[in-house]
Amino acid sequence: MRRIVIIGAGQAGLVLALGLQKRGYDVTVVAEKTADEVRYGRLISNQCVFHPALERERELGINLWDDEVQPVEEVAFNAAGGPAGTEPAIAWRQKFDHPAQSVDQRVKVSDWMTLFEAQGGEIRHHKVTPNDLDAYAAEFELVIVAAGRGPQFDALFPRNPEFSPYAEPQRAIGIAYVRTKHPMPPGLIFNLGPHGENFILPVLSVQGKVHGIGFFGIPGGPMDVWHDVTDIDQHLEIGVELLRAHFPWNKGILEEAEPAGPLEMLHGAITPTVRHPVGKLPSGKLVLAMGDTAVTNDPVGGQGANMAARAAKSYQEAILAQEDRDFDEKFMHDAFAKYWAVAQHATAFNNALLAPPPEHVLATLDTAQRVPEVAHRFAHLFENPVGYTGWLTDREVSMRYLQEATARA
Ligand SMILES: Cc1cc2nc3c(=O)[nH]c(=O)nc-3n(C[C@H](O)[C@H](O)[C@H](O)COP(=O)(O)OP(=O)(O)OC[C@H]3O[C@@H](n4cnc5c(N)ncnc54)[C@H](O)[C@@H]3O)c2cc1C
């Protein structure tokens, strides 16, 4: 039986571990934290997971929350700038063909760790350093590093400047989970303004059913406000002011909200980074990066967890196809290339969302108000960003499509 170790128990590592376990592989996971430390720890993400990634979880039988989670049935898109300032300049709503879900990653990760162990999988608990990897490479046939974003494995998996247009974070992020008495739509709210974005969505969290409210502010601007925030009440007060000032049509949501708990907030800033995915250890042995360790997107486009699930599927297919052959350098590059064939579009879409929208994208968002086909196509980019490239990357193609779709309507 092939022996594989996955460093990191997150959306990427655990979906792969559970998938390989189901196929009879001897998989070991190395996790920095125990299931309880994750479950009772701080907020990690806002994790809107769309249909393709959910389907993968269903294929593996690890969709443990389908009966409890509030489905994310639609997206309500608003762009600021209406004449009185109190209403959006652009507003449309679009139902997803298949609902998305946001299950708190603390719930997912801790439940999946428990399931993996209950099914006979081994989890070792410690924080792996680059120096530890040679010992793993000696013990296992394949070492996959799925330890999330951040600089800890920078030297092993250097930034690839060709696909990493940003060297600094492009958004100051503040997320909180709240309970609100305000009437809520059955899905995701995406508010776009000149100083940043705001997302609101239903979440099944460790605290039960809540709403996640995320602000993504352009650094140095009026939505870059989280530096000195240390408690959740302060976070909520600032959130109320941000909604009033930038997205006032939704201000009632936070005015009528209370925090879901003292740990239910997160502040940060992420540099979107694509890395060289194959790392060489001092012994000469190779290790393969996966998930955020290989490709980190800013969360503004809601792509990271979706792509982590995608990576797990692609890597699993590559591992199965390798049969008894060595997991050599070619295998590693091919496994990543298969994933990147899709992930590059998610990264391109996400990076584009961080830049001011060009005229043809604004025209698309505007036309979506009147032409349902356009709203449908744009909304479904979140679940399948492959359609972004060659459409919204090309002004002429976009404008011609708008004319044709408008004529059809
Ligand atoms: C604020 C915010 C909002 C987001 N919203 C969305 C969204 O709406 N939709 C979406 O798709 N994505 C979203 N994301 C991104 C998403 O959460 C990540 O892309 C996804 O979790 C990546 O999965 P991963 O398994 O690669 O890494 P992670 O989920 O980070 O998991 C890595 C795991 O490895 C462990 N680990 C780290 N270092 C070590 C070590 N040295 N040794 C052992 N273990 C280690 C960590 O404890 C963790 O459990 C959001 C992220 C943030 C921060």
Side-chain angles (χ1 to χ4, degrees):
M1 203 189 298
R2 310 219 68 174
R3 298 202 66 217
I4 295 172
V5 65
I6 299 170
I7 313 296
Q11 174 83 36
L14 286 170
V15 174
L16 179 60
L18 285 155
L20 288 173
Q21 185 182 54
K22 199 175 162 72
R23 300 301 294 254
Y25 280 68
D26 179 0
V27 187
T28 296
V29 171
V30 187
E32 184 185 11
K33 295 179 182 163
T34 65
D36 275 356
E37 283 169 344
V38 174
R39 180 178 289 275
Y40 301 112
R42 276 193 173 278
L43 186 60
I44 322 177
S45 179
N46 220 13
Q47 72 273 307
C48 190
V49 174
F50 294 95
H51 181 64
L54 294 175
E55 280 296 277
R56 179 62 183 156
E57 294 177 9
R58 291 181 186 122
E59 275 163 26
L60 298 178
I62 59 171
N63 54 319
L64 308 178
W65 316 274
D66 277 1
D67 295 338
E68 300 162 75
V69 66
Q70 316 93 296
V72 178
E73 291 174 6
E74 62 165 41
V75 55
F77 174 82
N78 307 295
T86 51
E87 292 300 323
I90 298 175
W92 47 265
R93 287 168 78 157
Q94 174 62 46
K95 209 166 156 36
F96 293 123
D97 292 344
H98 304 280
Q101 288 180 4
S102 175
V103 177
D104 190 332
Q105 281 190 351
R106 292 170 296 180
V107 174
K108 281 186 122 163
V109 163
S110 54
D111 283 356
W112 280 343
M113 285 170 87
T114 307
L115 177 66
F116 179 71
E117 285 191 303
Q119 293 176 164
E122 182 196 9
I123 302 186
R124 299 182 191 173
H125 290 285
H126 78 106
K127 185 173 172 65
V128 176
T129 67
N131 291 336
D132 299 327
L133 289 174
D134 252 325
Y136 284 111
E139 185 182 349
F140 293 89
E141 291 172 76
L142 174 63
V143 179
I144 294 180
V145 184
R149 63 182 179 273
Q152 54 181 333
F153 295 104
D154 262 1
L156 199 54
F157 307 114
R159 173 174 177 268
N160 183 341
E162 190 185 345
F163 301 117
S164 309
Y166 301 113
E168 302 286 339
Q170 299 299 303
R171 291 295 184 269
I173 301 164
I175 310 249
Y177 284 0
V178 303
R179 292 199 178 83
T180 181
K181 295 196 172 76
H182 196 75
M184 297 300 287
L188 171 69
I189 300 172
F190 177 4
N191 288 318
L192 174 71
H195 305 297
E197 302 79 18
N198 161 241
F199 285 88
I200 304 173
L201 83 167
V203 179
L204 178 66
S205 113
V206 284
Q207 309 292 345
K209 292 181 179 178
V210 300
H211 277 85
I213 314 258
F215 293 97
F216 299 79
I218 294 173
M223 287 178 65
D224 178 2
V225 288
W226 305 109
H227 306 280
D228 302 320
V229 179
T230 51
D231 77 71
I232 185 81
D233 293 320
Q234 200 187 354
H235 182 114
L236 241 60
E237 278 169 32
I238 292 176
V240 170
E241 290 310 319
L242 287 179
L243 280 188
R244 284 181 187 151
H246 302 283
F247 311 110
W249 50 90
N250 284 140
K251 65 188 167 116
I253 294 174
L254 275 185
E255 285 172 347
E256 296 170 51
E258 57 179 35
L263 298 179
E264 307 308 298
M265 67 173 182
L266 172 165
H267 307 122
I270 293 170
T271 305
T273 308
V274 177
R275 295 174 183 283
H276 292 285
V278 180
K280 190 174 246 182
L281 301 175
S283 65
K285 291 202 161 126
L286 301 173
V287 295
L288 176 62
M290 182 173 71
D292 272 13
T293 305
V295 178
T296 304
N297 292 306
D298 187 288
V300 72
Q303 294 299 304
N306 290 281
M307 285 303 118
R310 176 83 207 189
K313 185 175 196 291
S314 284
Y315 282 29
Q316 171 156 339
E317 286 166 0
I319 289 167
L320 296 186
Q322 196 66 1
E323 298 181 339
D324 292 333
R325 294 187 295 279
D326 279 354
F327 296 117
D328 56 9
E329 185 162 6
K330 180 174 182 320
F331 158 80
M332 293 188 181
H333 282 294
D334 289 353
F336 179 78
K338 188 165 188 271
Y339 162 63
W340 183 241
V342 172
Q344 63 179 297
H345 302 287
T347 295
F349 174 50
N350 203 86
N351 285 341
L353 285 174
L354 294 169
E359 198 193 333
H360 65 275
V361 173
L362 286 174
T364 303
L365 293 168
D366 180 50
T367 308
Q369 299 180 102
R370 297 175 296 282
V371 182
E373 175 192 328
V374 176
H376 181 273
R377 189 172 178 191
F378 190 90
H380 287 80
L381 284 179
F382 289 94
E383 68 168 47
N384 184 7
V386 172
Y388 168 75
T389 315
W391 172 30
L392 291 170
T393 48
D394 186 321
R395 187 184 180 282
E396 255 182 53
V397 171
S398 306
M399 296 310 278
R400 195 167 53 241
Y401 168 68
L402 290 185
Q403 277 177 359
E404 290 166 1
T406 304
R408 278 194 290 274

